[in-house]
Amino acid sequence: DLIFSRLVPHLAPGGRLYVIGLQPIPDSVNSPANIMCKIRRVRDACILLANHRCYREYPLDWIERNLQKSGLNVVQSRTYPIRYDHSTMVRQINVGRSKLKLFPSKGMAAEMGKVLDDLEKESLEVTKKQSGGRITLGFDYVVVAERPADD
């Protein structure tokens, strides 16, 4: 929450800052896109069980609020829907698989491997049923913020 206030002095009056981000994937949704929520939860569990830290995105409203708190004016925000196909989901599942060797026990890793395999199968079934083989969930965003000209 300090980064924007640290950047403001480096902007000329009227200068712009562009923030690009990804809206965090929710815990669940009531649609076929819920498969991606499940994948995210299991992937993150694997990362944590490997004693690693999960990467976190910042929600659009948090970004806009903190830009304004730092004295910048939010000029524009745009969102771009994210479409996930099966291969994109498998890449996230494979992040989880890559952590299995770091689990505290082989038994736990084996069981989690089965969960990941089941998610891969489920994601294939879900995407096969969708138009174009993709689900839509969440969005990327771009926020344009400007330092006031009278600073």
Side-chain angles (χ1 to χ4, degrees), residues 83-142:
R83 307 263 298 145
Y84 295 95
D85 63 12
H86 183 247
S87 67
T88 304
M89 293 181 205
V90 170
R91 279 197 302 276
Q92 293 305 305
I93 292 167
N94 285 340
V95 169
R97 286 183 176 128
S98 74
K99 304 299 180 184
L100 296 177
K101 64 185 174 288
L102 302 171
F103 273 32
S105 77
K106 290 184 185 209
M108 186 185 295
E111 290 304 312
M112 187 62 87
K114 292 176 189 175
V115 172
L116 292 164
D117 291 344
D118 290 345
L119 282 173
E120 184 171 350
K121 290 173 191 158
E122 185 180 349
S123 67
L124 180 59
E125 292 305 312
V126 168
T127 54
K128 277 183 179 179
K129 295 176 185 174
Q130 304 307 306
S131 173
R134 295 173 183 263
I135 59 160
T136 302
L137 179 67
F139 55 87
D140 291 318
Y141 58 81
V142 178

Side-chain angles (χ1 to χ4, degrees), residues 29-71:
V29 293
N30 191 19
S31 74
N34 193 53
I35 183 62
M36 196 59 205
C37 300
K38 289 165 68 173
I39 291 168
R40 193 245 339 137
R41 286 194 313 267
V42 172
R43 178 206 63 200
D44 287 358
C46 290
I47 291 168
L48 292 170
L49 286 166
N51 205 27
H52 291 167
R53 180 173 276 176
C54 296
Y55 174 82
R56 282 291 161 250
E57 298 86 10
Y58 292 94
L60 175 59
D61 62 333
W62 187 94
I63 295 293
E64 290 173 336
R65 193 170 51 254
N66 281 278
L67 286 166
Q68 291 166 347
K69 280 182 183 177
S70 70

Side-chain angles (χ1 to χ4, degrees), residues 1-16:
D1 61 340
L2 300 175
I3 186 68
F4 298 134
S5 59
R6 291 185 66 188
L7 291 172
V8 169
H10 300 284
L11 289 173
R16 289 189 166 187

